[in-house]
Amino acid sequence: MAGRLAGKTALITGATGGIGRATAELFAREGARLLVTDAAAGAAADLAARLRSGGTEAVGIGLDVSSEQHWGEAIAQVEQHFGRLDVLVNIAGVVDWPGVEDTDRQAWDRVIAVNQTGTWLGMKAAMPLLRASGNGSVINTSSVLGLIGSGAAAAYQASKGAVRLLTKTAAVEYATRGVRVNSVHPGVIATPMIQEILDAEGDQQPDVARTPMRRAGRPEEIAPTMLFLAGDESSFVTGAEFVVDGGLTAH
């Protein structure tokens, strides 16, 4: 039986991290052709090789999402190998924990460049191919910290809040041009980016303690939302926020 993404080509950034890898693996099982990208080119190539061993058409390349040149090269790879693009999943991100006074300018610029500018550059580069598909989907990864304040992580929260509204304005802009644009807002997820904190603090980690389900989520619990938004079941969904957080933002 054909998968839910059969015939579709997807580009995933941050594909070797926790949520990125889970998303790539699920998309592969559902029949997508994949360009998997990561700042670490070798890791992306290894992931693509593993996906190919399972029968998926997959290419892995290095991608600095803050570089317009790198984005141009990535889209050229999509055209060369697949000839079309149906889905863009912007997952690549970095975090910096200090608050307003303790964040230094270099850290601020890096977080904004990757999380915010990288998301915009990805949409800018991919839109011509997505529009040409006639049924494109952009999935931008924000965070619950793009919805609520935490009293810390000033640069990260600023960037994720920007991704939320960038998503909405792009959704309105492309609503009649064949591309849907939505955002996903994970809560505390046990990814490599925060695993050290979870290992040290466990259920006492403040955001885990405030989560009604009293645990961190797993990357595999985010990927199905990505799948829904990538597929045709979400054909009337654009400009929406999908919160997957164990109830963290419910109170």
Side-chain angles (χ1 to χ4, degrees), residues 4 8 19 33 37-38 51-52 59 73-74 80 103 114 119 128 148 165 178 194-195 215-216 227 230 241:
R4 290 164 66 183
K8 294 185 183 292
I19 294 173
R33 303 182 299 175
T37 76
D38 198 272
L51 295 173
R52 287 196 300 272
V59 176
E73 293 167 356
Q80 176 185 337
T103 298
V114 173
T119 298
I148 60 173
L165 283 183
I194 67 165
Q195 191 62 55
R215 67 174 177 86
L227 174 62
E241 303 165 3

Side-chain angles (χ1 to χ4, degrees), residues 54-124:
T56 297
E57 291 185 57
V59 176
I61 64 169
L63 172 60
D64 172 2
V65 297
S66 68
S67 166
E68 191 165 8
Q69 178 182 339
H70 278 212
W71 269 111
E73 293 167 356
I75 295 303
Q77 289 285 326
V78 171
E79 292 182 298
Q80 176 185 337
H81 290 283
F82 306 115
R84 63 179 293 135
L85 182 64
D86 303 278
V87 182
L88 170 65
V89 189
N90 283 312
I91 299 176
V94 294
V95 66
D96 188 57
W97 296 112
V100 171
E101 292 184 65
D102 293 329
T103 298
D104 64 49
R105 179 60 186 268
Q106 183 177 1
W108 174 276
D109 288 347
R110 175 172 177 265
V111 171
I112 298 301
V114 173
N115 297 0
Q116 179 177 335
T117 305
T119 298
W120 163 65
L121 286 174
M123 289 196 294
K124 179 181 175 66

Side-chain angles (χ1 to χ4, degrees), residues 208-234:
V208 172
R210 290 194 300 119
T211 298
M213 294 183 75
R214 295 295 189 271
R215 67 174 177 86
R218 302 185 306 275
E220 293 78 14
E221 294 177 297
I222 305 298
T225 301
M226 304 291 196
L227 174 62
F228 169 70
L229 292 173
D232 294 336
E233 299 98 328
S234 56

Side-chain angles (χ1 to χ4, degrees), residues 97-247:
W97 296 112
V100 171
E101 292 184 65
D102 293 329
T103 298
D104 64 49
R105 179 60 186 268
Q106 183 177 1
W108 174 276
D109 288 347
R110 175 172 177 265
V111 171
I112 298 301
V114 173
N115 297 0
Q116 179 177 335
T117 305
T119 298
W120 163 65
L121 286 174
M123 289 196 294
K124 179 181 175 66
M127 275 302 179
L129 280 183
L130 292 168
R131 287 191 286 106
S133 78
N135 187 26
S137 175
V138 175
I139 307 163
N140 292 328
T141 307
S142 180
S143 167
V144 292
L145 297 187
L147 299 170
I148 60 173
S150 71
Y156 183 79
Q157 294 220 211
S159 69
K160 292 303 186 178
V163 167
R164 172 179 176 263
L165 283 183
L166 176 61
T167 297
K168 290 183 180 298
T169 197
V172 173
E173 181 177 356
Y174 291 94
T176 59
R177 301 170 72 185
V179 183
R180 297 176 294 104
V181 190
N182 294 285
S183 58
V184 175
H185 298 253
V188 183
I189 308 298
T191 67
M193 191 164 69
I194 67 165
Q195 191 62 55
E196 184 176 340
I197 295 172
L198 293 174
D199 289 343
E201 301 178 359
D203 291 345
Q204 301 308 306
Q205 198 276 338
D207 286 332
V208 172
R210 290 194 300 119
T211 298
M213 294 183 75
R214 295 295 189 271
R215 67 174 177 86
R218 302 185 306 275
E220 293 78 14
E221 294 177 297
I222 305 298
T225 301
M226 304 291 196
L227 174 62
F228 169 70
L229 292 173
D232 294 336
E233 299 98 328
S234 56
S235 58
F236 197 54
V237 178
T238 196
E241 303 165 3
F242 284 75
V243 180
V244 189
D245 70 350

